[in-house]
PDB file of all heavy atoms in Angstrom:
ATOM      1  N   ALA I   9      -5.184   7.867   6.599  1.00  0.00           N
ATOM      2  CA  ALA I   9      -5.205   7.944   8.057  1.00  0.00           C
ATOM      3  C   ALA I   9      -6.551   8.502   8.533  1.00  0.00           C
ATOM      4  O   ALA I   9      -6.727   8.766   9.714  1.00  0.00           O
ATOM      5  CB  ALA I   9      -4.060   8.825   8.564  1.00  0.00           C
ATOM      6  N   TRP I  36       4.201   0.544   7.131  1.00  0.00           N
ATOM      7  CA  TRP I  36       3.180   1.549   6.841  1.00  0.00           C
ATOM      8  C   TRP I  36       3.581   2.882   7.431  1.00  0.00           C
ATOM      9  O   TRP I  36       4.609   2.993   8.074  1.00  0.00           O
ATOM     10  CB  TRP I  36       1.823   1.055   7.347  1.00  0.00           C
ATOM     11  CG  TRP I  36       1.377   1.453   8.723  1.00  0.00           C
ATOM     12  CD1 TRP I  36       0.282   2.213   9.033  1.00  0.00           C
ATOM     13  CD2 TRP I  36       1.963   1.123   9.992  1.00  0.00           C
ATOM     14  NE1 TRP I  36       0.158   2.371  10.397  1.00  0.00           N
ATOM     15  CE2 TRP I  36       1.185   1.706  11.009  1.00  0.00           C
ATOM     16  CE3 TRP I  36       3.092   0.403  10.379  1.00  0.00           C
ATOM     17  CZ2 TRP I  36       1.495   1.592  12.360  1.00  0.00           C
ATOM     18  CZ3 TRP I  36       3.401   0.286  11.729  1.00  0.00           C
ATOM     19  CH2 TRP I  36       2.603   0.869  12.700  1.00  0.00           C
ATOM     20  N   GLY I  37       2.775   3.896   7.198  1.00  0.00           N
ATOM     21  CA  GLY I  37       3.082   5.254   7.608  1.00  0.00           C
ATOM     22  C   GLY I  37       3.195   5.485   9.099  1.00  0.00           C
ATOM     23  O   GLY I  37       3.513   6.598   9.516  1.00  0.00           O
ATOM     24  N   GLY I  38       2.935   4.478   9.898  1.00  0.00           N
ATOM     25  CA  GLY I  38       3.191   4.536  11.325  1.00  0.00           C
ATOM     26  C   GLY I  38       2.143   5.220  12.175  1.00  0.00           C
ATOM     27  O   GLY I  38       2.249   5.214  13.401  1.00  0.00           O
ATOM     28  N   SER I  39       1.120   5.793  11.565  1.00  0.00           N
ATOM     29  CA  SER I  39       0.115   6.517  12.340  1.00  0.00           C
ATOM     30  C   SER I  39      -0.813   5.561  13.078  1.00  0.00           C
ATOM     31  O   SER I  39      -1.094   4.462  12.612  1.00  0.00           O
ATOM     32  CB  SER I  39      -0.715   7.432  11.441  1.00  0.00           C
ATOM     33  OG  SER I  39       0.075   8.502  10.982  1.00  0.00           O
ATOM     34  N   ASP I  40      -1.297   6.032  14.225  1.00  0.00           N
ATOM     35  CA  ASP I  40      -2.203   5.247  15.055  1.00  0.00           C
ATOM     36  C   ASP I  40      -3.599   5.856  15.025  1.00  0.00           C
ATOM     37  O   ASP I  40      -4.285   5.934  16.031  1.00  0.00           O
ATOM     38  CB  ASP I  40      -1.661   5.190  16.494  1.00  0.00           C
ATOM     39  CG  ASP I  40      -2.249   4.034  17.296  1.00  0.00           C
ATOM     40  OD1 ASP I  40      -2.557   2.989  16.688  1.00  0.00           O
ATOM     41  OD2 ASP I  40      -2.393   4.178  18.524  1.00  0.00           O
ATOM     42  N   VAL I  41      -3.994   6.316  13.838  1.00  0.00           N
ATOM     43  CA  VAL I  41      -5.311   6.932  13.654  1.00  0.00           C
ATOM     44  C   VAL I  41      -5.939   6.408  12.363  1.00  0.00           C
ATOM     45  O   VAL I  41      -5.256   5.964  11.446  1.00  0.00           O
ATOM     46  CB  VAL I  41      -5.222   8.485  13.594  1.00  0.00           C
ATOM     47  CG1 VAL I  41      -4.747   9.052  14.916  1.00  0.00           C
ATOM     48  CG2 VAL I  41      -4.315   8.944  12.469  1.00  0.00           C
ATOM     49  N   MET I  44      -5.185   3.690   9.046  1.00  0.00           N
ATOM     50  CA  MET I  44      -3.847   3.204   9.392  1.00  0.00           C
ATOM     51  C   MET I  44      -3.883   2.415  10.703  1.00  0.00           C
ATOM     52  O   MET I  44      -3.236   1.385  10.835  1.00  0.00           O
ATOM     53  CB  MET I  44      -2.854   4.351   9.504  1.00  0.00           C
ATOM     54  CG  MET I  44      -2.404   4.910   8.174  1.00  0.00           C
ATOM     55  SD  MET I  44      -0.938   5.925   8.455  1.00  0.00           S
ATOM     56  CE  MET I  44      -0.722   6.618   6.831  1.00  0.00           C
ATOM     57  N   LYS I  45      -4.646   2.896  11.674  1.00  0.00           N
ATOM     58  CA  LYS I  45      -4.790   2.194  12.952  1.00  0.00           C
ATOM     59  C   LYS I  45      -5.532   0.871  12.766  1.00  0.00           C
ATOM     60  O   LYS I  45      -5.141  -0.150  13.337  1.00  0.00           O
ATOM     61  CB  LYS I  45      -5.516   3.079  13.966  1.00  0.00           C
ATOM     62  CG  LYS I  45      -5.743   2.388  15.317  1.00  0.00           C
ATOM     63  CD  LYS I  45      -6.429   3.310  16.302  1.00  0.00           C
ATOM     64  CE  LYS I  45      -6.773   2.702  17.633  1.00  0.00           C
ATOM     65  NZ  LYS I  45      -6.095   1.524  18.071  1.00  0.00           N
ATOM     66  N   LYS I  69       1.324  11.464  16.164  1.00  0.00           N
ATOM     67  CA  LYS I  69       0.276  10.487  15.860  1.00  0.00           C
ATOM     68  C   LYS I  69       0.836   9.078  15.648  1.00  0.00           C
ATOM     69  O   LYS I  69       0.108   8.161  15.296  1.00  0.00           O
ATOM     70  CB  LYS I  69      -0.497  10.916  14.607  1.00  0.00           C
ATOM     71  CG  LYS I  69      -1.271  12.194  14.803  1.00  0.00           C
ATOM     72  CD  LYS I  69      -2.043  12.568  13.556  1.00  0.00           C
ATOM     73  CE  LYS I  69      -2.817  13.856  13.792  1.00  0.00           C
ATOM     74  NZ  LYS I  69      -3.625  14.224  12.640  1.00  0.00           N
ATOM     75  N   ALA I  70       2.142   8.917  15.849  1.00  0.00           N
ATOM     76  CA  ALA I  70       2.786   7.615  15.622  1.00  0.00           C
ATOM     77  C   ALA I  70       2.309   6.591  16.643  1.00  0.00           C
ATOM     78  O   ALA I  70       2.062   6.914  17.808  1.00  0.00           O
ATOM     79  CB  ALA I  70       4.302   7.756  15.678  1.00  0.00           C
ATOM     80  N   ARG I  71       2.189   5.369  16.195  1.00  0.00           N
ATOM     81  CA  ARG I  71       1.731   4.271  17.048  1.00  0.00           C
ATOM     82  C   ARG I  71       2.844   3.865  18.016  1.00  0.00           C
ATOM     83  O   ARG I  71       3.956   3.570  17.592  1.00  0.00           O
ATOM     84  CB  ARG I  71       1.347   3.078  16.171  1.00  0.00           C
ATOM     85  CG  ARG I  71       0.746   1.916  16.947  1.00  0.00           C
ATOM     86  CD  ARG I  71       0.418   0.784  15.987  1.00  0.00           C
ATOM     87  NE  ARG I  71      -0.209  -0.322  16.644  1.00  0.00           N
ATOM     88  CZ  ARG I  71      -1.517  -0.567  16.647  1.00  0.00           C
ATOM     89  NH1 ARG I  71      -2.329   0.258  16.013  1.00  0.00           N
ATOM     90  NH2 ARG I  71      -2.013  -1.615  17.275  1.00  0.00           N
ATOM     91  N   ARG I  86      10.316   9.761   3.781  1.00  0.00           N
ATOM     92  CA  ARG I  86       9.385   8.741   4.254  1.00  0.00           C
ATOM     93  C   ARG I  86       9.063   7.748   3.140  1.00  0.00           C
ATOM     94  O   ARG I  86       9.113   6.539   3.346  1.00  0.00           O
ATOM     95  CB  ARG I  86       8.104   9.401   4.761  1.00  0.00           C
ATOM     96  CG  ARG I  86       7.071   8.430   5.297  1.00  0.00           C
ATOM     97  CD  ARG I  86       5.747   9.144   5.465  1.00  0.00           C
ATOM     98  NE  ARG I  86       4.933   8.572   6.507  1.00  0.00           N
ATOM     99  CZ  ARG I  86       3.708   8.985   6.767  1.00  0.00           C
ATOM    100  NH1 ARG I  86       3.165   9.976   6.091  1.00  0.00           N
ATOM    101  NH2 ARG I  86       3.000   8.420   7.717  1.00  0.00           N
TER     102      ARG I  86
END
Side-chain angles (χ1 to χ4, degrees):
W36 93 117
S39 290
D40 200 31
V41 295
M44 284 195 187
K45 178 178 176 20
K69 295 181 180 183
R71 185 181 183 100
R86 181 193 208 184

